[in-house]
Amino acid sequence: MKENEIELLRLIEKNANLEVEKIAKLMGKSIEEVRELLNQLEEKKAILGYSTLIDWAKVLDGEEVTAMVDVKVTPARGVGFDKVAERIYRFPEVKAVYLMSGAYDLSVSVKGKTMTEIGNFISEKLSTLDSVLSTTTHFVLKRYKHDGIILHDDDDDDKRIVVSP
């Protein structure tokens, strides 16, 4: 990948809301060059989408519940874990699926309105798949940082406890 492409990707990874004019200025390129580069990267599927990180706890009365589910599976002959992962990521409750090293094969991020809703998804849909051997569910209790962005850092006061002899 070219240096210009990597520079552009790093800029929009930090802030997908950057205007083309600002990107052009930061890169020392023309607006047309930046637009063309963006189009090329989108066509190559290097840019898969643009997203915004929202702190839903500040917007909604009841925040969605997130669970990280460790899944042990039997890989399919000839295709390994890919077919199993594809079957799992097609569920609308599933937000992310990762192949992992360690005791479990897949890490699955699931969102729902309640813990019960997530529990029902796991017991009725996920764990009933033929290739799923076991699951372990971890519910997210609080988010501190996501995608490099610190959440809930509203005031910069020093909160260390004063220790004196």
Side-chain angles (χ1 to χ4, degrees):
M1 191 164 261
K2 297 175 187 169
E3 194 175 313
N4 281 341
E5 292 173 330
I6 293 170
E7 182 182 6
L8 175 59
L9 292 172
R10 287 204 169 118
L11 284 170
I12 63 173
E13 182 181 37
K14 288 180 184 171
N15 183 358
N17 200 32
L18 274 177
E19 295 178 6
V20 176
E21 294 79 9
K22 177 80 172 176
I23 296 169
K25 185 180 261 188
L26 289 169
M27 292 180 65
K29 302 284 181 196
S30 72
I31 294 170
E32 294 76 26
E33 287 174 304
V34 171
R35 281 199 180 112
E36 180 60 31
L37 196 51
L38 282 168
N39 288 335
Q40 289 172 6
L41 290 167
E42 289 170 356
E43 287 173 14
K44 287 198 294 191
K45 301 285 188 219
I47 298 174
L48 299 172
Y50 301 89
S51 65
T52 302
L53 181 60
I54 298 168
D55 187 351
W56 288 106
K58 293 182 179 177
V59 179
L60 301 176
D61 291 333
E63 189 178 355
E64 281 187 316
V65 177
T66 302
M68 301 303 294
V69 185
D70 297 327
V71 184
K72 186 130 185 95
V73 300
T74 304
R77 173 167 275 157
V79 292
F81 296 100
D82 293 348
K83 283 291 182 196
V84 179
E86 181 180 350
R87 184 112 190 260
I88 292 171
Y89 70 61
R90 297 228 178 261
F91 288 113
E93 298 89 344
V94 173
K95 301 306 172 197
V97 178
Y98 306 100
L99 179 62
M100 306 295 289
S101 63
Y104 291 89
D105 303 308
L106 299 173
S107 181
V108 180
S109 175
V110 179
K111 284 198 178 186
K113 291 180 182 164
T114 64
M115 292 173 86
T116 302
E117 186 177 289
I118 291 175
N120 289 339
F121 164 75
I122 293 166
S123 64
E124 295 170 11
K125 295 179 182 177
L126 182 62
S127 64
T128 60
L129 295 175
D130 290 337
S131 53
V132 172
L133 301 174
S134 67
T135 63
T136 301
T137 304
H138 311 275
F139 286 97
V140 175
L141 302 177
K142 185 175 180 179
R143 291 171 180 81
Y144 295 99
K145 187 175 184 177
H146 183 80
D147 282 343
I149 298 173
I150 297 171
L151 308 172
H152 306 289
D153 193 25
D154 294 333
D155 90 74
D156 294 328
D157 292 342
D158 189 353
K159 293 183 177 140
R160 293 178 289 180
I161 298 172
V162 176
V163 178
S164 59

